[in-house]
């Protein structure tokens, strides 16, 4: 070990020792820093956790996707819609979008169906989605057994179905390829089973992602027989489709495609906003903007807590300096320069705040644990969430220790030696 | 002049108390050769400590000229003077001035924090110095566990360890009983016999007579 390193170690050791002489006082003086660091760590971890989760969810919705949804209309709006001859999303919209936008790669319409599955135990009440063949591709669904709905199924209204993974298991005898599932009064042949779908959303999801493990897919159009009576009721128009998912070739085409789609739909729906457009990429951008605000708030809170903590440390360091006036005089007499004295007291201040930082990190880990366990928030302790508060604690030590240290170094050695 | 370790002429020290200046040192001329043993005596308040601080490069005179070991102290920076103290000047005070948190060994080692010496060399010098004052069996003890005489021996060891050109002792026996005083005096004689240059301030004539030169101070001048 070089003598230089040794002398630095000695400085640190000396500083630690004089801090340990007043354990209680040192401990109390860093409480502010501990709390500040804990808060910063917890906040960064929560922020990172939320960001990760939003990112995952949005990715699951597909960053190359544009989603159109039919809006539930009020009676009043229904009247207007009928006047404008618009009845929600339909296959015409799909045709027009396909025609009008060259950037569209895949497009899939779907309809949520409410019908009873017969011949099953009561607790199984799966959701039914009537959709087109591209649905699996745009939603990233994989078929592990058999096949998905084909274009021909839709054209010929074949009564076939595809089961979600866990649903197929729970349905037992009616969950194998070739088995028949009775939906309403019709028999659907099972032609495919989906792979396990990892649904990455929790309670706090900003966007809902369906649980495709518990769903039955049937060809779009075959559901029309389920409720003919309902359609005629109240003369309400029921939209043909609930959702259209459009996938473009490249993710940078999303925005331009979406504005073309807006115009197409505007015309074809005669200006009736009976649909809604969701652009996952846009959500991502919005969430990033929110994150920015969150970061600013976090920074301000961190700043305030470290300011308060730092002032506490400065206070103690000033007391220490005046208590140790004579020591300063002795050290100056045996050859310490002003610089040596600054380094000595600055080291003490930094050790103080750094240990506060370490304690704060420990407390922060605990806090994050508790938050994850009880609030069920997604959190992520990253390199950032540890290093940022730790570095801030060191900087606080330098910043708030500087004045007391300089004050110590400026003492007149003679006056310090004569000090009683 | 050239062969003097300490060479000062016309040293003045003035303190401003309130609005009026107080002339503590009026005009001091002193020259100490290498290896000399000088005693300074004088009434309380005559300015002995003030002079010692100036000679030890801890304080600067208001006027006059002071050459220490060939360097002009008045034109030398504070940092350089700290270095001079770290390497060439050993202080022994009436009140011992040991650091209470450090044990004997660490107290003696203290000046080496501020002079770049190899750690092996430091250890050798500290141990030799501690042995010289016969405290090798107490190296781990804190000052609070030592008697006054022992404390002063630690202080002397601290001053000796750096092998300074000049040892300045300001009433080193002032706080000790006669027995301890005799012991300390014996140490100084021994150190002097080994070739060290010593300036000692004392009220005790018995101590003073051991020196080669006795200087009497009165109201800021030598008489
Ligand atoms: N910082 C100061 N401001 C004003 N006066 C001072 C200051 N320091 C010392 N003095 C005065 O200078 C005079 C000389 O003090 P000094 O300590 O040198 O005396 P001394 O000869 O060492 O006395 P003693 O034998 O009691 O130690 C005293 O009258 C003291 O009051
Ligand atoms: Mg004095």
């Amino acid at each position: 070990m070089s003598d230089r390193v040794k002398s630095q170690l000695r400085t640190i050791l000396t500083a630690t020792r004089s801090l340990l002489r007043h354990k209680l006082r040192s401990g109390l003086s860093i409480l502010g820093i501990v709390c500040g660091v804990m808060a910063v760590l917890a906040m960064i971890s929560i922020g990172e956790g939320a960001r990760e989760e939003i990112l995952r969810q949005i990715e699951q919705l597909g960053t190359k996707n544009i989603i159109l949804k039919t809006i539930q209309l009020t009676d009043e709006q229904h009247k207007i819609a009928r006047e404008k001859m618009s009845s929600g999303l339909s296959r015409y919209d799909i045709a027009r979008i396909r025609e009008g936008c060259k950037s569209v790669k895949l497009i899939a319409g779907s309809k949520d169906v409410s019908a009873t599955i017969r011949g099953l135990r009561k607790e199984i009440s799966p959701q039914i989605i009537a959709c087109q063949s591209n649905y699996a591709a745009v939603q990233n669904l994989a078929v592990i057994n058999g096949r998905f709905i084909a274009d021909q199924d839709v054209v010929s209204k074949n009564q076939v179905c595809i089961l979600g993974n866990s649903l197929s298991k729970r349905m037992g005898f009616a969950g194998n390829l070739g088995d028949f599932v009775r939906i309403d009064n019709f028999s659907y042949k099972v032609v495919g089973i989906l792979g396990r779908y990892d649904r990455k959303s929790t309670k706090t999801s900003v966007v809902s992602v369906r649980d495709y493990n518990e769903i039955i897919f049937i060809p779009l159009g075959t559901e029309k027989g389920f409720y003919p009576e309902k359609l005629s009721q109240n003369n309400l128009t029921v939209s043909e489709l609930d959702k259209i998912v459009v996938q473009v070739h490249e993710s940078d085409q999303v925005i331009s495609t979406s504005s073309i789609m807006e115009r197409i739909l505007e015309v074809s729906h005669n200006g009736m906003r009976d649909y809604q457009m969701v652009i996952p990429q846009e959500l991502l951008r919005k969430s990033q903007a929110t994150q920015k605000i969150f970061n600013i708030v976090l920074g301000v809170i961190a700043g305030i807590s470290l300011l308060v903590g730092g002032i506490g440390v400065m206070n103690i360091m000033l007391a220490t300096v005046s208590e140790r006036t004579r020591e300063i005089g002795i050290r100056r007499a045996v050859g310490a320069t002003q610089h040596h004295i600054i380094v000595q007291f600055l080291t003490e201040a930094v050790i103080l705040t750094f240990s506060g930082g370490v304690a704060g990190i420990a407390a922060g880990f605990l806090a994050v644990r508790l938050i994850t366990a009880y609030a069920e928030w997604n959190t992520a302790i990253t390199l950032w969430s540890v290093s940022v508060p730790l570095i801030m604690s060191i900087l606080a030590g330098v910043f708030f220790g500087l004045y007391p240290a300089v004050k110590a170094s400026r003492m007149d050695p003679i006056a310090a030696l004569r000090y009683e | 002049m050239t062969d003097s370790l300490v060479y000062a002429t016309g040293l003045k020290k003035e303190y401003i108390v309130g609005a009026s200046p107080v002339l503590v040192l009026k005009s001091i001329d002193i020259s100490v050769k290498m290896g000399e043993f000088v005693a300074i005596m004088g009434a309380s308040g005559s300015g002995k400590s003030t002079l010692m601080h100036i000679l030890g490069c801890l304080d600067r005179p208001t006027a006059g000229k002071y050459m220490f070991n060939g360097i002009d102290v008045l034109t030398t920076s504070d940092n350089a003077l700290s270095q001079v103290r770290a390497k060439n000047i050993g202080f022994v005070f009436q009140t011992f001035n040991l650091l209470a948190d450090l044990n004997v060994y660490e107290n003696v080692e203290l000046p080496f924090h501020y002079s770049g010496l190899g750690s092996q060399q430091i250890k050798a010098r500290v141990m030799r110095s501690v042995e010289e004052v016969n405290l090798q069996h107490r190296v781990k003890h804190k000052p609070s566990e030592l008697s006054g005489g022992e404390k002063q021996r630690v202080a002397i060891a601290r001053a000796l360890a750096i092998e300074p050109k000049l040892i300045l002792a300001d009433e080193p026996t002032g706080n000790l009983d006669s027995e301890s005083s005799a012991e300390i005096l014996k140490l100084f004689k021994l150190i002097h016999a080994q070739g060290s240059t010593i300036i000692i301030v004392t009220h005790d004539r018995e101590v003073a007579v051991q020196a080669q030169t006795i200087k009497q101070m009165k109201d800021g001048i030598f008489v």
Side-chain angles (χ1 to χ4, degrees), chain A residues 122-307:
Chain A
K122 222 181 178 180
E123 66 265 32
I124 305 180
S125 52
Q127 294 178 48
I128 303 168
I129 296 178
C131 66
Q132 294 176 313
S133 59
N134 286 333
Y135 195 90
V138 295
Q139 297 289 6
N140 245 334
L141 305 175
V143 177
I144 49 161
N145 210 346
R147 62 176 178 87
F148 198 68
I149 290 161
D151 285 333
Q152 192 56 46
D153 294 328
V154 179
V155 174
S156 321
K157 303 206 170 172
N158 291 337
Q159 291 187 345
V160 294
C161 68
I162 285 87
L163 304 180
N165 192 281
S166 55
L167 179 67
S168 74
K169 281 177 192 144
R170 288 202 295 130
M171 282 173 75
F173 70 94
N176 296 318
L177 288 189
D179 281 349
F180 284 88
V181 178
R182 275 186 72 79
I183 306 174
D184 206 77
N185 284 323
F186 305 91
S187 270
Y188 279 77
K189 188 179 178 187
V190 178
V191 294
I193 289 163
L194 293 182
R196 261 218 77 75
Y197 184 76
D198 189 11
R199 181 159 164 256
K200 288 160 182 140
S201 72
T202 57
K203 271 185 177 178
T204 51
S205 299
V206 287
V207 281
S208 62
V209 173
R210 301 187 92 144
D211 184 1
Y212 289 114
N213 291 314
E214 288 289 329
I215 276 180
I216 297 183
F217 290 99
I218 58 174
L220 186 68
T222 61
E223 84 284 1
K224 284 200 172 132
F226 296 165
Y227 33 58
E229 69 284 353
K230 214 175 176 182
L231 276 174
S232 51
Q233 246 177 36
N234 314 331
N235 256 350
L236 284 185
T237 34
V238 172
S239 64
E240 184 185 7
L241 301 176
D242 285 330
K243 193 164 92 168
I244 299 175
V245 181
V246 175
Q247 188 168 80
V248 296
H249 289 281
E250 299 301 331
S251 48
D252 56 8
Q253 296 168 327
V254 165
I255 302 301
S256 58
T257 309
S258 71
S259 56
I260 296 170
M261 278 166 55
E262 281 282 9
R263 263 177 276 137
I264 291 172
L265 292 167
E266 174 100 48
V267 173
S268 66
H269 287 236
N270 292 324
M272 183 65 208
R273 289 291 303 191
D274 50 4
Y275 56 88
Q276 169 197 11
M277 193 182 278
V278 180
I279 306 171
Q281 212 178 67
E282 199 86 303
L283 293 178
L284 187 68
R285 200 157 302 142
K286 266 184 213 151
S287 88
Q288 278 164 348
T290 321
Q291 185 72 25
K292 206 174 264 174
I293 295 168
F294 183 81
N295 282 343
I296 291 169
V297 172
L298 177 150
V300 169
I301 294 174
I304 291 172
S305 54
L306 284 174
L307 183 78

